[in-house]
Amino acid sequence: MKFGSKKKQQEPEKGKPSFFTPKSSDQDGTEVEASSLFTWGKKEEAPAPVTKGRSFPWSKKEEEVPAAPVTKGRSLPWSKKEEEAPVAPVTKGRSLPWSKKEEEAPVAPVAKERSFPWSKKQDAATVVAPPPPPEPVAPVTPPRSSKFSFGKKSTNTSPSSKSVATAPPTPSPPRKNSSKRTEYDESMVSEKTRRKCCSCKCVIGSSCLLILLAIGGVLAWRYGPWFQGSLSSTNLQVESCPDCCNGLRSNCKLPVNKVLFPTLHNAHSSKDHKFIGASHETQFEDALVEGYRGLQLSTCTCENVLSNALLERDPALGLENSNMGFCHSACGTGVRDPKAVIENIKTFLDVNRREVLIVEIDMTDDSEDDFRTALRASGLLDHVYIPDSKYVDWPKMGKLVDKNKRLILFGRGGSLRSCDAPDCRDGILYFYDFFAQTEPDGSDATSCDSTLNGDVNVDYFLVNQFQKNQAKMPSPTIANDLNSYNELSARFEDCQGKLEPNLLSVEFWQQGDVLEFVQKDNENRYELMKMGFGKRGLRG
């Protein structure tokens, strides 16, 4: 039997199952038997059976137009119900229409790789909707599902429109929050980070500028043209009785090594001369006028740049090519010109014929020769006392005054070594041949325990009465306490039965009661000497 014949097919009774196996012939005449289809219930129509690769319409209601045969590779329109919307079936590779209920809404067909037009309602106008504009599609990675239109049914009813799957992909915009950036994008740096970088640069630059300005200010203050004006000396004349030695008549009757000398530690270092970390408020010339008779000095060699601005280099003293000055360690922290120091000491001895000085000098290797040259050229050696024998029998102070040998020099450092007193060059006696002292760094300011650096039978005992603060700097507050009369008395009481002090070294000489204490102690020593005590160098 061929499709399209006018032979009326047998209709199944309503309410009963029907079984019908039609046979159809292909183009070559071969008959194809369709699979059986069972229809249950009271539906008004039976579903169409499906054959492999083909679709067949089956029994329809009365007055239904017989369906056209389906051939392989073709699409066949099927008969529709009266007033029924077209139905778009979907099959694998092909689309097959199925029977729908009355008044069912039309569904747009979606076919994979192909789309087929199907039969429409009678008297219904074919409406073709314009294709929507393509949406931007991001490249789909395997582990993620696309958030765009892939996998959804198309609402386009045009038979000629392509599916979304076959449409050319649209480049997706760059993601803002991508966690995997292969290249550094400077535009992604936040404004806050830029501001922080700019702030750090500004802070560092400002700090460097302030440091440079501070250094320049210190150099201008320290080494400006007004610096030399501060080196002017005061009137070095002192008032004293005609027959006194260092202010007391009794001192003239005491051996010079039995007299207590108030001494300035780092005598060259003062705020008057712009020293950083100065040991005194005012210069040692003022201290000499007030009554101090001992000086501790240190020589050093300045750098060429600083020496041009700080040192006079007096040719009269043989210092025209010298960089030697009086400083503690480096000229950058403060220095005094050797001409001013040496000449002021000589002037003091010249104008004060009854005063005796003890000067202790700490020299460096490269400054010793220059100091000796200046010492000889100044004429100061005329006042230096040089012992007559190896074993010094120290004369009384009155005898030194009479002979005008009122300067005793001790030295250490440089090339100085132990020497016999008469053979020591320029009358500079080796310090450790004659002195014992307490802790030189001032760590012990309460006892008279000595550090013996020479023979046990020393002639002089140096007491270091000073201490540094926590910053390792001289402190006027600490000096005010240590230089008080009570502190000095307590320490000298500890010296009972020990070595008797000869030099009392202090800092900030204007603080405390040093001169008053020294004067009373020297008076007591004379009284003890008359009673026969103190002849062996021990404090009675």
Side-chain angles (χ1 to χ4, degrees):
M1 179 186 298
K2 294 184 178 179
F3 291 98
S5 64
K6 296 183 179 180
K7 186 178 181 178
K8 188 176 182 180
Q9 299 178 1
Q10 185 178 358
E11 296 182 0
E13 297 181 2
K14 293 183 178 180
K16 294 182 182 181
S18 62
F19 176 76
F20 178 69
T21 305
K23 293 183 179 180
S24 60
S25 59
D26 205 347
Q27 295 179 357
D28 55 357
T30 307
E31 293 185 352
V32 179
E33 182 175 346
S35 60
S36 62
L37 175 69
F38 292 90
T39 304
W40 303 97
K42 297 181 180 182
K43 295 183 179 180
E44 296 179 2
E45 61 181 353
V50 180
T51 60
K52 185 175 181 180
R54 299 175 181 175
S55 59
F56 297 93
W58 302 106
S59 57
K60 303 291 184 297
K61 294 180 181 181
E62 294 180 3
E63 300 178 1
E64 185 178 11
V65 179
V70 179
T71 59
K72 187 175 181 179
R74 296 180 181 179
S75 60
L76 300 174
W78 305 101
S79 58
K80 304 296 182 291
K81 297 179 182 180
E82 294 180 3
E83 298 179 0
E84 185 178 11
V87 179
V90 179
T91 60
K92 184 176 181 181
R94 297 180 181 180
S95 59
L96 298 175
W98 302 102
S99 302
K100 297 296 181 291
K101 295 181 181 180
E102 294 180 3
E103 300 179 3
E104 186 176 4
V107 179
V110 177
K112 187 174 181 180
E113 297 181 357
R114 292 184 180 181
S115 60
F116 297 92
W118 306 104
S119 44
K120 305 296 184 293
K121 289 183 181 181
Q122 294 180 3
D123 301 333
T126 302
V127 179
V128 179
E135 298 181 5
V137 181
V140 180
T141 56
R144 294 184 180 182
S145 60
S146 174
K147 63 179 181 180
F148 297 95
S149 61
F150 295 105
K152 296 182 180 180
K153 292 182 178 181
S154 173
T155 57
N156 186 12
T157 58
S158 174
S160 62
S161 64
K162 295 182 181 181
S163 63
V164 178
T166 60
T170 304
S172 61
R175 297 185 180 181
K176 296 183 179 180
N177 299 326
S178 177
S179 60
K180 296 180 179 180
R181 287 180 288 184
T182 59
E183 295 182 358
Y184 178 79
D185 188 2
E186 186 176 356
S187 63
M188 297 299 291
V189 179
S190 63
E191 187 67 23
K192 185 176 181 181
T193 305
R194 292 194 188 98
R195 289 179 180 178
K196 285 184 178 180
C197 294
C198 294
S199 301
C200 292
K201 293 178 181 178
C202 292
V203 170
I204 295 173
S206 301
S207 301
C208 294
L209 180 60
L210 290 176
I211 291 173
L212 293 176
L213 290 176
I215 294 174
V218 171
L219 292 175
W221 165 75
R222 176 65 181 81
Y223 307 125
W226 50 83
F227 174 72
Q228 294 295 336
S230 64
L231 299 177
S232 60
S233 61
T234 60
N235 183 13
L236 299 177
Q237 180 70 45
V238 298
E239 296 181 1
S240 179
C241 60
D243 54 350
C244 293
C245 296
N246 287 7
L248 292 175
R249 291 185 175 92
S250 58
N251 288 341
C252 296
K253 300 177 182 180
L254 291 174
V256 68
N257 65 326
K258 302 301 179 185
V259 178
L260 181 61
F261 286 76
T263 305
L264 302 180
H265 179 250
N266 288 337
H268 52 274
S269 174
S270 67
K271 293 183 179 179
D272 280 349
H273 296 275
K274 308 300 186 295
F275 274 75
I276 299 174
S279 298
H280 304 280
E281 294 286 347
T282 59
Q283 57 188 357
F284 74 84
E285 290 88 347
D286 296 335
L288 292 176
V289 174
E290 292 296 326
Y292 283 85
R293 296 297 180 261
L295 302 176
Q296 288 181 297
L297 301 171
S298 299
T299 63
C300 62
T301 301
C302 299
E303 298 80 2
N304 290 328
V305 176
L306 296 179
S307 61
N308 293 332
L310 303 179
L311 303 178
E312 189 173 346
R313 291 179 173 176
D314 188 8
L317 296 178
L319 301 177
E320 61 274 8
N321 297 319
S322 172
N323 293 331
M324 189 269 291
F326 287 93
C327 60
H328 185 59
S329 57
C331 292
T333 60
V335 64
R336 288 209 60 179
D337 186 74
K339 177 183 177 180
V341 173
I342 295 174
E343 286 187 352
N344 287 339
I345 293 175
K346 184 179 184 299
T347 301
F348 177 81
L349 293 173
D350 290 340
V351 300
N352 300 288
R353 306 283 300 186
R354 306 293 298 183
E355 305 301 322
V356 178
L357 298 180
I358 293 180
V359 177
E360 188 257 309
I361 306 169
D362 188 3
M363 293 178 284
T364 58
D365 293 335
D366 50 357
S367 65
E368 181 183 351
D369 292 339
D370 291 337
F371 173 74
R372 290 182 183 274
T373 300
L375 187 64
R376 297 175 191 137
S378 66
L380 195 58
L381 288 179
D382 297 339
H383 299 288
V384 175
Y385 170 72
I386 300 176
D388 297 331
S389 63
K390 178 179 178 180
Y391 301 99
V392 182
D393 185 12
W394 293 97
K396 292 181 180 180
M397 188 175 285
K399 190 174 182 178
L400 293 177
V401 171
D402 295 340
K403 290 185 177 181
N404 197 24
K405 299 296 182 180
R406 294 173 289 115
L407 177 61
I408 303 175
L409 295 178
F410 295 95
R412 53 182 165 177
S415 62
L416 290 174
R417 297 295 183 268
S418 178
C419 59
D420 294 337
D423 300 330
C424 294
R425 283 196 307 159
D426 301 318
I428 302 175
L429 306 177
Y430 188 54
F431 177 84
Y432 297 110
D433 285 343
F434 299 92
F435 269 87
Q437 62 176 338
T438 59
E439 293 296 334
D441 57 355
S443 58
D444 182 9
T446 58
S447 70
C448 277
D449 296 336
S450 63
T451 302
L452 298 177
N453 294 296
D455 296 334
V456 176
N457 296 323
V458 294
D459 296 328
Y460 292 89
F461 181 39
L462 171 62
V463 175
N464 295 303
Q465 188 71 9
F466 54 85
Q467 280 185 333
K468 309 297 183 183
N469 57 17
Q470 293 182 352
K472 305 299 181 183
M473 301 288 285
S475 171
T477 304
I478 296 176
N480 187 58
D481 295 336
L482 294 177
N483 297 348
S484 65
Y485 195 93
N486 293 333
E487 287 290 332
L488 295 172
S489 298
R491 186 165 194 183
F492 274 62
E493 287 179 2
D494 187 69
C495 296
Q496 296 293 332
K498 301 178 182 179
L499 293 174
E500 189 170 41
N502 302 108
L503 273 71
L504 178 61
S505 179
V506 299
E507 292 181 342
F508 296 98
W509 59 268
Q510 292 175 308
Q511 304 292 333
D513 311 306
V514 177
L515 294 178
E516 180 184 355
F517 175 82
V518 169
Q519 183 176 2
K520 289 187 177 181
D521 191 76
N522 282 329
E523 292 175 349
N524 292 333
R525 292 185 182 195
Y526 175 70
E527 295 297 329
L528 292 172
M529 181 68 67
K530 289 194 304 183
M531 293 185 294
F533 296 99
K535 292 182 180 181
R536 299 177 58 186
L538 300 178
R539 188 171 179 82

